[in-house]
Amino acid sequence: MGDSKLADQYFDAAIGLLRRVRDEEAEAVAAAGTLLADTVAAGGRLFAFGAGHSSLAAQDVVYRAGGLALMNLLAVPGVVGVDVMPAPLGSALERVDGLASAVLDSSPLRAGDVLVIISLSGRNALPVEMAMHARALGVKVIGVTSVAYATETTSRHTSGTFLKDHCDIVLDSKIAVGDAELTLDTVPAPFGPASTVVTTALLQAVLATAAGSLADRGLEPPLLRSGNVDGGHEWNSRVMEQYRDRIFYRH
């Protein structure tokens, strides 16, 4: 089997998953997009959180061209990305009880805001506790997770529950347990993770829905433009100034 065949298999697997979430999660995507639009229109704020590689999808919707300027990253020290040294520390921190509550209590999040929580397995203490505590604060929670983990693994939170159990809206990424789409007889472990591709696409579909929903109400969606096109910086400066009290990554 040549390398090109494996590449084709990976693309086919990713395309198959994207088709599944497009078809099976359409209702949830629409609901999530409407919730974001409702929140923006009502003066609420938007936040996204992910731990480990799930943080990539959260970072993908913050301060980017074509994205909503109001999406803020809720950062938890030591778990956002692989720049943590040593890297396994980030995984360990996801299992620490009390960390999520401490982060939320010192964050700007308040009742009426929306928090997107991305966790592939949804089983670790951090995302579960974050969803529970956020809802107790009156924050709406959108969870992006693989529901399969809830039936095929056990929770690492003291409640025995998963992220999906504490969300107002759940977006199921359909990723199989283990997050690896390819296998070979000559390779001892599965490989070819697709969760980033699918989760990022899910969130961008939600944001596109939110932008359209705002436009349908006669409201200009607070979108950012590329700084690499003429007028981009001026455009972004105007948007950031207009919404400065709801954008936390510029202070």
Side-chain angles (χ1 to χ4, degrees):
M1 178 174 291
D3 293 341
S4 61
K5 187 70 178 290
L6 284 173
D8 288 349
Q9 283 188 9
Y10 179 81
F11 283 123
D12 288 345
I15 290 166
L17 284 162
L18 289 170
R19 284 196 173 120
R20 275 193 70 193
V21 296
R22 179 194 64 191
D23 297 341
E24 298 173 22
E25 297 301 294
E27 194 174 319
V29 167
T34 301
L35 175 57
L36 292 190
D38 290 345
T39 305
V40 171
R45 293 92 58 82
L46 311 177
F47 297 85
F49 166 77
H53 284 91
S54 290
S55 74
L56 296 174
Q59 293 175 60
D60 188 61
V61 294
V62 176
Y63 184 56
R64 71 161 304 145
L68 283 179
L70 301 195
M71 186 62 77
N72 299 277
L73 187 68
L74 180 66
V76 177
V79 305
V80 182
V82 292
D83 56 342
V84 181
M85 297 295 287
L89 175 61
S91 301
L93 288 172
E94 287 186 64
R95 302 172 194 175
V96 174
D97 291 324
L99 179 58
S101 296
V103 167
L104 282 176
D105 288 343
S106 60
S107 79
L109 270 150
R110 65 188 184 197
D113 292 346
V114 169
L115 174 59
V116 178
I117 301 177
I118 306 150
S119 173
L120 178 60
S121 73
R123 69 188 295 219
N124 287 311
L126 191 57
V128 175
E129 180 188 324
M130 184 169 283
M132 294 173 73
H133 195 65
R135 292 180 92 190
L137 294 173
V139 173
K140 296 284 190 186
V141 174
I142 298 172
V144 188
T145 187
S146 170
V147 172
Y149 277 82
T151 56
E152 298 178 39
T153 67
T154 55
S155 171
R156 289 182 176 140
H157 187 255
T158 52
S159 67
T161 60
F162 288 77
L163 169 61
K164 72 171 186 63
D165 301 317
H166 307 284
C167 299
D168 296 278
I169 299 170
V170 175
L171 300 172
D172 183 4
S173 64
K174 317 289 182 181
I175 299 294
V177 173
D179 191 18
E181 295 297 321
L182 304 178
T183 56
L184 264 185
D185 292 343
T186 52
V187 178
F191 52 103
S195 61
T196 306
V197 174
V198 177
T199 303
T200 298
L202 262 174
L203 281 178
Q204 292 297 353
V206 168
L207 291 182
T209 302
S213 180
L214 285 167
D216 287 344
R217 305 170 200 208
L219 301 171
E220 182 191 330
L223 296 168
L224 294 173
R225 300 185 74 133
S226 171
N228 298 314
V229 299
D230 292 342
H233 285 300
E234 292 76 14
W235 172 282
N236 292 342
S237 295
R238 175 184 67 81
V239 172
M240 288 195 188
E241 184 57 35
Q242 183 178 347
Y243 292 95
R244 63 180 305 155
D245 59 325
R246 296 153 76 181
I247 296 174
F248 298 94
Y249 52 79
R250 58 169 291 173
H251 302 309

